[in-house]
Amino acid sequence: MKRQAGAAANVPRIVDAKVQSEGFRANRAARRNVLVEDYVELIADLLDEGMEARQVDIAARLGVSQPTVAKMLARLANEGLVTQKPYRGVFLTPAGEALATNVRRRHGIVESFLTALGISTENVRIDAEGIEHYASEETLAAFERALNAGLQSFMAADGVKRGG
């Protein structure tokens, strides 16, 4: 395998076991939270649009079956993030609303950063859905600093192909 030139060539492939395990642990924790965060964010979006967050709507938007949604809603209720009212739909608890606000904040930062890089609208939407869950607060803060420092203008001035 050919090694990259420059700074990447100086990075050891295998790091200290403790350091490496921290990365894997963080990734597993993020993976456990992805579904919870996606459901809570979608429920908040539906409610904010004046719609009811019904199992059928959630299933259709997430591309999963209604029994899958029912299982996740039971989990979210057990975790104190949602309440369900018979014949009404799903509502966020204050804890669910706080989580939705945080997920939306993360999502917005990632979308803005990818847009500033010149990523197509379609790929921004798709990629942000994944990255928002895995990026650390430090990384998100760096994205915001880059945006606030004029990343979009820099990219445009640099002649980067946009939306490709």
Side-chain angles (χ1 to χ4, degrees):
M1 176 150 68
K2 189 175 182 179
R3 303 248 340 182
Q4 287 182 329
N10 297 328
V11 175
R13 292 180 56 90
I14 299 291
V15 296
D16 175 71
K18 183 178 179 190
V19 171
Q20 190 171 27
S21 70
E22 288 172 4
F24 287 120
R25 242 188 321 273
N27 193 331
R28 284 191 304 274
R31 259 189 305 211
R32 281 191 300 272
N33 292 325
V34 167
L35 286 176
V36 168
E37 292 176 353
D38 282 345
Y39 272 77
V40 169
E41 183 180 19
L42 175 58
I43 292 166
D45 289 345
L46 290 170
L47 294 173
D48 285 352
E49 289 296 316
M51 302 171 66
E52 285 206 21
R54 301 175 304 149
Q55 282 189 27
V56 65
D57 300 319
I58 295 167
R61 290 181 180 271
L62 292 176
V64 298
S65 69
Q66 286 191 52
T68 298
V69 172
K71 286 180 196 175
M72 179 56 79
L73 292 177
R75 175 181 170 189
L76 296 176
N78 285 337
E79 293 182 16
L81 299 171
V82 302
T83 58
Q84 293 179 273
K85 297 182 180 175
Y87 310 107
R88 285 280 326 274
V90 182
F91 300 89
L92 295 174
T93 64
E97 289 175 4
L99 178 59
T101 297
N102 187 44
V103 172
R104 286 173 160 173
R105 176 189 64 82
R106 296 172 64 84
H107 189 104
I109 293 167
V110 172
E111 277 194 348
S112 295
F113 185 76
L114 295 175
T115 298
L117 290 178
I119 308 300
S120 69
T121 302
E122 178 180 319
N123 283 322
V124 164
R125 183 181 47 78
I126 293 167
D127 293 345
E129 274 305 324
I131 295 169
E132 74 186 47
H133 304 288
Y134 293 94
S136 68
E137 286 299 324
E138 178 183 4
T139 298
L140 293 170
F143 285 3
E144 284 187 303
R145 284 192 306 276
L147 289 165
N148 293 336
L151 175 63
Q152 192 162 8
S153 298
F154 170 77
M155 295 300 289
D158 196 35
V160 172
K161 182 181 174 196
R162 303 202 42 88

